[in-house]
Amino acid sequence: MSIWVKISKLIANLAKKGEQLSNIFIKLKTPPEKTAGFTIAVIALSAKMAKADGIVKPEEIQAFSQVFHIPKNEEKNAFRVFNLARKDVAGYKTYARKIYKMLYTNSKILEDLLEGLLHIATSDGLYHPLENNFIDEVARIFNLNDVTLVTLKSRYIPNESINPFIILGVNPSS
């Protein structure tokens, strides 16, 4: 089916529902998480997460491949971006801000992304303080609340104590 047939059907469906023509363009817009800019930012942020403790280990590269599924025909390009970005941690905040700017209305995707970064950080069996700083800063940039951050960390960090008061969102004196 050609793009023009799809557009015609969309317009016909909108007309049946009595929607305005201006709404068509909103519905046709590519979701931010399906754009090249988002993909590059996620790959770069993931590579910088792997580098946060100073060494990118094979387990971290494998974890990246497990979390972010890359079509076989795009692996070469994706790993070119990954290898360029993993040279140092500098600029990770910029990538995090760009991702947040694209997805600030979709906290679920931001949470999923942070969980992927935690998976990469802990895939080598260690969780370095510099990785923790990285995760905390990205969570702050993504505007994720403490409950979400604590919950995500508890899934990946061994012996991470879970404060039930934070999870419940209540004061310990309540």
Side-chain angles (χ1 to χ4, degrees), residues 49-151:
M49 176 75 261
K51 184 68 173 182
D53 63 356
I55 303 167
V56 178
K57 295 182 182 153
E59 298 91 347
E60 294 168 320
I61 296 170
Q62 183 179 3
F64 166 74
S65 296
Q66 291 169 345
V67 174
F68 303 104
H69 302 285
I70 300 164
K72 196 77 168 156
N73 63 332
E74 291 297 332
E75 283 179 352
K76 184 179 174 184
N77 293 326
F79 279 100
R80 185 178 306 134
V81 173
F82 188 92
N83 288 329
L84 284 170
R86 77 179 192 167
K87 291 181 180 181
D88 63 28
V89 181
Y92 81 92
K93 293 177 188 178
T94 302
Y95 287 110
R97 284 186 201 103
K98 287 180 187 224
I99 291 167
Y100 178 73
K101 188 175 178 183
M102 287 185 239
L103 296 172
Y104 68 94
T105 61
N106 194 335
S107 63
K108 179 63 178 134
I109 293 177
L110 295 170
E111 289 173 24
D112 290 347
L113 180 52
L114 191 70
E115 185 169 6
L117 296 174
L118 276 161
H119 179 66
I120 293 168
T122 59
S123 64
D124 61 359
L126 303 169
Y127 188 64
H128 194 277
L130 292 173
E131 291 172 322
N132 189 62
N133 293 345
F134 186 107
I135 291 292
D136 287 350
E137 184 60 21
V138 171
R140 187 193 65 72
I141 291 168
F142 285 179
N143 202 28
L144 299 178
N145 62 44
D146 290 341
V147 173
T148 300
L149 182 58
V150 168
T151 303

Side-chain angles (χ1 to χ4, degrees), residues 40-53:
I40 290 169
V42 167
I43 293 169
L45 190 61
S46 299
K48 291 180 182 304
M49 176 75 261
K51 184 68 173 182
D53 63 356

